[in-house]
Amino acid sequence: MEHIKISTNLGEIVGNVRPNCYEFLGIKYGNAKRFEYSTLVDKFDGIYDATKNGKTCVQKRQFYPHYENKERLFFYNEFRKDIVFSYSEDCLNLNIYTPKKKGKYPVIVFIHGGGFDSGSIYESNVDGDCYGKRDVIYVSIEYRVGIFGYLTNEQLNKEQGFDGNYGLDDQYKAILWVKKHIKDFNGDPDNITLMGQSAGAISIQYLCLSEKCKGLFKKAIMMSGAGKFPNFALPRPCEETREYWDEVIKLAGCKDIHELQKVDHQTLFNAIEHQRITRKDNTYHNMPVIDHNYITDSIANMIQNPLPDIRYMIGFTNNDMYALIMASIGMDYANKNKGYVYYFDINAKGDKNKAFHSSDLHYVTETLNKSWRPYDKNDYKTASLMVDYIANFAKNGDPNDVGLPKWEIKKNQAMIFSSKGNYMGRPSKFRLLINTIFGGIK
């Protein structure tokens, strides 16, 4: 592959030449020790090699893949099969895909999903070449997940001032880094759009409510994760989650958090696996908390006053996770904040899983060719249309352009992407209800 070298304020960096962009992989944006908040990288040591994939946060699937679980195996086959990941706690890196021509381009910062305890920007659906073609910079960020991203502990709170939300802090720091340095890659630091799916979208929703993020970005695209979730799935006060992690400390054979900071990964994940088997509340301890820093109050209260002047694009699929709930809360947030809404109603080819949670991911990066599914020319046409809309939205907050179907902001209506065409309309509540009851991964 041909390479490109550029000079930045951090030093010289070497990347790859792609068909429609220059690609810089694995750029280190932060440093962090285990269970500590990160600090930004402001200088490269020598010429930075950004030609190869960076590190992915150490996570449960590295030690306990659970492929006997049909859902875990399903998503492995969908996005990770045959990809070799390099896992490390030193994982705070990002990828930049920038147009080849000189300019001042709008910037998309993509935050991956994975239930807050897994995921990576090196999965098959994360690629920004198609945005370079449309004069948009695409940045994807790694952040800490699972125990490394969301452990809470009273002693750490006393020492650091806060505890928990290390992963959310990583995302915030990555956005700060982009705002500070993207000009070196022909980006406009005053025209940043956050984009995320599932846990990435939920993270963006929380960032859109946090005063710390005021002025950092102007637009937000939330795929399957916008709005106020039911109470059982909302962040809890950090004080209420510490007991779970205190139990992990004991299971790992440690007397305190500082000993846990030193134990090996296998010991850590053995303790977490014990929790997974014996408790039913694991999900709600591996996610953001009310930390009195980023999340300062209940989401029910904070969501009444999101940051001002942010434009929104919100999407959901016909067989999304809790499909009717996901659609309802996303639509409600869009109605209240004048957001553009899309409803992805294209059943995935090759099995009976319909438009499953994450089925739109390969479309919004035009990476259908990286999937095993037998996509046809209509799928590729829809993918191109979706990327056109997103690129336009990143440029000026409006997805519309000459020659594209008109996308309007209308109460309870969405741009419907379907096998029958793309048009404005009301998502089918009946289909969403049926898929909520009988859906899921087959």
Side-chain angles (χ1 to χ4, degrees):
M1 180 177 284
E2 184 182 352
H3 300 308
I4 176 75
K5 182 167 73 172
I6 65 171
S7 296
T8 74
N9 287 326
L10 298 100
E12 291 185 312
I13 183 170
V14 177
N16 299 317
V17 178
R18 294 279 300 277
N20 300 301
C21 71
Y22 295 138
E23 170 191 71
F24 300 91
L25 301 173
I27 304 174
K28 192 176 179 68
Y29 70 82
N31 291 300
K33 295 180 180 179
R34 185 184 293 181
F35 311 141
E36 293 184 10
Y37 295 104
S38 59
T39 58
L40 293 182
V41 169
D42 57 11
K43 187 179 181 181
F44 297 147
D45 294 326
I47 299 175
Y48 199 100
D49 181 3
T51 62
K52 301 183 292 293
N53 288 354
K55 306 290 186 180
T56 289
C57 182
V58 178
Q59 50 198 262
K60 63 182 182 182
R61 69 186 186 205
Q62 183 182 356
F63 299 92
Y64 295 94
H66 293 300
Y67 290 152
E68 75 281 1
N69 179 306
K70 64 180 180 181
E71 188 168 326
R72 292 285 287 276
L73 182 59
F74 174 86
F75 285 109
Y76 166 79
N77 288 330
E78 205 68 35
F79 301 112
R80 299 190 292 273
K81 188 175 182 180
D82 298 328
I83 298 175
V84 177
F85 297 89
S86 180
Y87 295 101
S88 173
E89 287 186 62
D90 185 17
C91 63
L92 302 186
N93 67 90
L94 52 79
N95 300 335
I96 298 175
Y97 304 81
T98 183
K100 294 179 179 179
K101 301 179 302 232
K102 288 286 185 180
K104 189 177 183 181
Y105 298 110
V107 182
I108 291 174
V109 176
F110 179 77
I111 303 177
H112 69 76
F116 296 108
D117 65 357
S118 63
S120 171
I121 58 174
Y122 299 105
E123 295 179 358
S124 64
N125 61 284
V126 187
D127 191 337
D129 189 60
C130 64
Y131 288 99
K133 181 180 180 181
R134 292 166 172 84
D135 292 337
V136 173
I137 292 176
Y138 181 91
V139 181
S140 53
I141 66 171
E142 285 284 349
Y143 58 95
R144 285 173 288 179
V145 298
I147 185 172
F148 306 109
Y150 299 99
L151 171 140
T152 54
N153 179 265
E154 183 177 9
Q155 184 62 34
L156 292 179
N157 185 282
K158 291 177 180 178
E159 296 171 2
Q160 301 173 0
F162 305 100
D163 61 318
N165 290 353
Y166 298 100
L168 198 65
D169 177 75
D170 294 340
Q171 296 165 11
Y172 170 76
K173 297 289 179 52
I175 299 165
L176 285 180
W177 189 98
V178 169
K179 193 168 183 68
K180 184 176 181 180
H181 297 293
I182 201 63
K183 190 180 295 184
D184 289 331
F185 298 86
N186 293 324
D188 183 353
D190 296 319
N191 192 8
I192 293 175
T193 299
L194 301 190
M195 177 179 177
Q197 188 267 347
S198 194
I202 297 171
S203 298
I204 291 172
Q205 179 67 87
Y206 298 157
L207 294 173
C208 287
L209 308 179
S210 178
E211 284 292 322
K212 289 177 70 74
C213 295
K214 196 169 184 177
L216 281 185
F217 53 90
K218 291 189 173 181
K219 297 170 287 289
I221 301 171
M222 294 181 279
M223 305 166 59
S224 302
K228 176 189 171 295
F229 278 74
N231 290 335
F232 72 85
L234 291 176
R236 303 173 181 183
C238 57
E239 296 86 353
E240 296 180 10
T241 66
R242 292 171 185 162
E243 170 272 331
Y244 178 93
W245 296 110
D246 289 344
E247 183 67 19
V248 170
I249 293 174
K250 294 176 184 177
L251 290 168
C254 301
K255 66 180 181 181
D256 58 27
I257 189 64
H258 296 305
E259 284 194 3
L260 194 71
Q261 287 177 307
K262 300 175 183 177
V263 302
D264 63 275
H265 295 147
Q266 186 68 65
T267 300
L268 272 180
F269 282 91
N270 286 348
I272 293 169
E273 181 68 1
H274 184 276
Q275 291 284 73
R276 188 193 72 82
I277 294 171
T278 59
R279 295 181 61 145
K280 297 181 179 180
D281 58 350
N282 297 284
T283 298
Y284 312 115
H285 290 93
N286 286 273
M287 61 181 286
V289 296
I290 300 173
D291 61 349
H292 316 291
N293 183 24
Y294 291 100
I295 304 176
T296 56
D297 196 354
S298 70
I299 296 302
N301 288 335
M302 291 183 72
I303 208 165
Q304 303 303 318
N305 296 290
L307 296 178
D309 303 321
I310 294 179
R311 303 299 301 273
Y312 294 99
M313 179 184 289
I314 291 168
F316 46 87
T317 70
N318 75 30
N319 192 24
D320 223 322
M321 194 176 295
Y322 306 109
L324 184 58
I325 294 175
M326 190 75 77
S328 297
I329 62 176
M331 187 68 80
D332 181 66
Y333 190 79
N335 287 340
K336 292 176 179 177
N337 295 280
K338 298 180 180 179
Y340 292 94
V341 179
Y342 77 79
Y343 173 49
F344 191 79
D345 195 28
I346 301 175
N347 291 336
K349 295 175 173 62
D351 59 24
K352 298 180 180 180
N353 286 296
K354 304 176 183 177
F356 60 89
H357 180 72
S358 305
S359 61
D360 47 352
L361 281 176
H362 277 301
Y363 286 77
V364 299
T365 50
E366 288 192 293
T367 52
L368 297 174
N369 62 313
K370 296 182 180 180
S371 171
W372 64 269
R373 295 182 180 276
Y375 291 116
D376 60 28
K377 63 180 181 180
N378 290 326
D379 294 297
Y380 282 87
K381 183 178 178 180
T382 299
S384 180
L385 176 62
M386 293 183 77
V387 174
D388 283 343
Y389 278 136
I390 291 170
N392 292 337
F393 183 77
K395 291 173 183 177
N396 53 45
D398 184 343
N400 293 291
D401 200 359
V402 177
L404 303 182
K406 180 69 173 177
W407 190 341
E408 301 175 272
I409 296 177
K410 285 188 174 181
K411 186 175 182 179
N412 297 327
Q413 292 199 36
M415 173 59 69
I416 298 176
F417 297 106
S418 79
S419 57
K420 299 177 182 179
N422 311 297
Y423 54 91
M424 289 295 301
R426 291 177 179 266
S428 170
K429 288 187 177 181
F430 178 75
R431 178 175 296 179
L432 290 164
L433 176 61
I434 292 299
N435 288 347
T436 301
I437 298 172
F438 300 107
I441 301 303
K442 300 291 192 294

